[in-house]
Amino acid sequence: MAAAKLVLAMLVVAVGVAAGEGGGKLRQGYYEQSCPRAEQIVKHYVERHVPHAPSVAATLIRTHFHDCFVRGCDASVLLNATTGGGEAEKDATPNLTLRGFAFLDRVKALVEQECPGVVSCADILALASRDAVGVIGGPFWRVPTGRRDGRVSIKQEALDQIPAPTMNFTDLLTSFRAKGLDVADLVWLSGAHTIGISHCNSFTERLYNFTGRGGPGDADPSLDAEYAANLRRTKCTTPTDNTTIVEMDPGSFLTFDTSYYRGLLKRRGLFQSDAALITDTAARADVESVAKGPSEVFFQVFARSMVRMGMIEVKTGGEGEIRRHCAVVNS
Ligand SMILES: *[C@@H]1O[C@H](CO)[C@@H](O)[C@H](O)[C@H]1NC(C)=O
Ligand SMILES: *[C@@H]1O[C@H](CO)[C@@H](O)[C@H](O)[C@H]1NC(C)=O
Ligand SMILES: *[C@@H]1O[C@H](CO)[C@@H](O)[C@H](O)[C@H]1NC(C)=O
Ligand SMILES: *[C@@H]1O[C@H](CO)[C@@H](O)[C@H](O)[C@H]1NC(C)=O
Ligand SMILES: *[C@@H]1O[C@H](CO)[C@@H](O)[C@H](O)[C@H]1NC(C)=O
């Protein structure tokens, strides 16, 4: 059993993807000459720290996702608000992600020590996300690198472009398609919820006030009634609870596996955006195929979709810059 797990953890996924325009300029091992130890430094830091703080893994993936969906994967999500008062994407992200920013700042500092001004924050975020998945039992894959960092970050764009947990399938797919991703990417990237956690207030209306009528019985009918009752009783005991944390894949939220998909089929997806995945025929077929199969199948498709996501509207060549500190643009 332990040996089998080790093999899975070390599985190197061969990822073949049709690269998008900017994505085509990324390549594996981009820093081989300019900073040969860059990937290793990121990996070692993640391996040393994520086992003690596994929730950081979910945070890193979510941060990478948020980054790519707004202005492309250019680390704009890591920028602090400007002193001029303009709020940044960061100001639109839930507090749960704050820890990830400090983590990435520390990784960046180590990489800067080794090779100043060479490795972008956008690449560090992509690499750290990959390594964090590996540390908690998921796949390892090769991350194409060579992204450059953006110089602009605007809160409203994050509010407008990041798919909301309340979205139905149509709206989710529209949002993914706008970034060049498809139904399969939506299903596989949602699989990151296997290690997700959420505050009650992100889904509380599904428990208490789905139609706006409120009162007993106004729960989302697409959520398993027994599960909803259990959440009301033991976790989100009031409609206004905004502090209690709920695991998105209960019992297995620290392990990167396929039980999230089995939960969906039992109608126990926590967000409407999770429940939405089984409302579409094609998406549901994908969910069923990985829920039953061995983890390797999910690992391969997840890795492939992560690579595709990591290529969204990337900046390369002379675009953007290599930020010195991930929270501020170079002066
Ligand atoms: C960015 O903002 C955070 C939180 O407000 C702060 O702790 C950090 O020092 C800032 N970083 C820089 C480089 O200004
Ligand atoms: C969320 O972050 C804001 C600003 O950093 C802070 O004022 C607030 O107390 C935080 N809330 C929670 C629940 O941590
Ligand atoms: C999805 O939600 C949008 C509102 O955000 C609504 O206009 C649309 O009708 C919904 N689609 C389906 C199929 O329910
Ligand atoms: C239920 O939702 C409606 C509409 O969204 C809102 O007006 C009402 O205050 C909510 N009721 C409760 C108890 O939260
Ligand atoms: C949580 O709810 C309390 C009471 O409704 C409110 O005072 C507080 O600002 C809320 N915190 C966040 C982070 O939304």
Side-chain angles (χ1 to χ4, degrees), residues 8-15 39 43 47 127 130-131 133-135 137-143 299 303:
L8 287 185
M10 290 171 53
L11 180 73
V12 176
V13 179
V15 184
E39 293 207 21
K43 186 156 183 281
E47 284 174 346
L127 292 166
R130 181 271 312 272
D131 293 330
V133 168
V135 164
F140 179 86
W141 65 93
R142 308 304 299 259
V143 173
F299 285 2

Side-chain angles (χ1 to χ4, degrees), residues 95 199 201 240-243:
N95 281 17
H199 282 131
N201 55 328
T240 53
D241 183 338
N242 58 9
T243 51

Side-chain angles (χ1 to χ4, degrees), residues 55-204:
S55 66
V56 169
T59 291
L60 291 173
I61 300 171
R62 186 169 48 233
T63 305
H64 186 30
F65 173 79
H66 284 196
D67 183 33
C68 293
F69 266 65
V70 187
R71 292 184 173 267
C73 315
D74 69 346
S76 51
V77 69
L78 304 181
L79 286 173
N80 276 359
T82 58
T83 43
E87 286 189 298
E89 287 168 40
K90 216 182 224 185
D91 300 306
T93 59
N95 281 17
L96 280 173
T97 55
L98 291 178
R99 211 164 164 198
F101 297 135
F103 185 95
L104 288 161
D105 286 346
R106 288 194 293 274
V107 180
K108 171 67 170 174
L110 292 175
V111 175
E112 282 297 290
Q113 232 167 48
E114 172 87 4
C115 333
V118 172
V119 183
S120 68
C121 294
D123 279 341
I124 288 176
L125 177 52
L127 292 166
S129 305
R130 181 271 312 272
D131 293 330
V133 168
V135 164
I136 55 170
F140 179 86
W141 65 93
R142 308 304 299 259
V143 173
T145 43
R147 297 168 188 79
R148 291 173 63 85
D149 298 323
R151 295 178 53 86
V152 177
S153 181
I154 300 169
K155 178 182 179 179
Q156 191 60 44
E157 293 182 345
L159 297 174
D160 293 342
Q161 295 176 36
I162 293 168
T166 49
M167 278 185 176
N168 59 28
F169 188 82
T170 314
D171 287 352
L172 286 170
L173 188 55
T174 301
S175 155
F176 271 62
R177 286 206 169 127
K179 302 296 168 186
L181 301 180
D182 60 17
V183 175
D185 296 316
L186 169 57
V187 175
W188 308 139
L189 294 173
S190 297
H193 287 172
T194 177
I195 53 166
I197 52 176
S198 167
H199 282 131
C200 288
N201 55 328
S202 296
F203 58 90
T204 198

Side-chain angles (χ1 to χ4, degrees), residues 209 212-214 239:
N209 193 9
R213 184 163 41 82

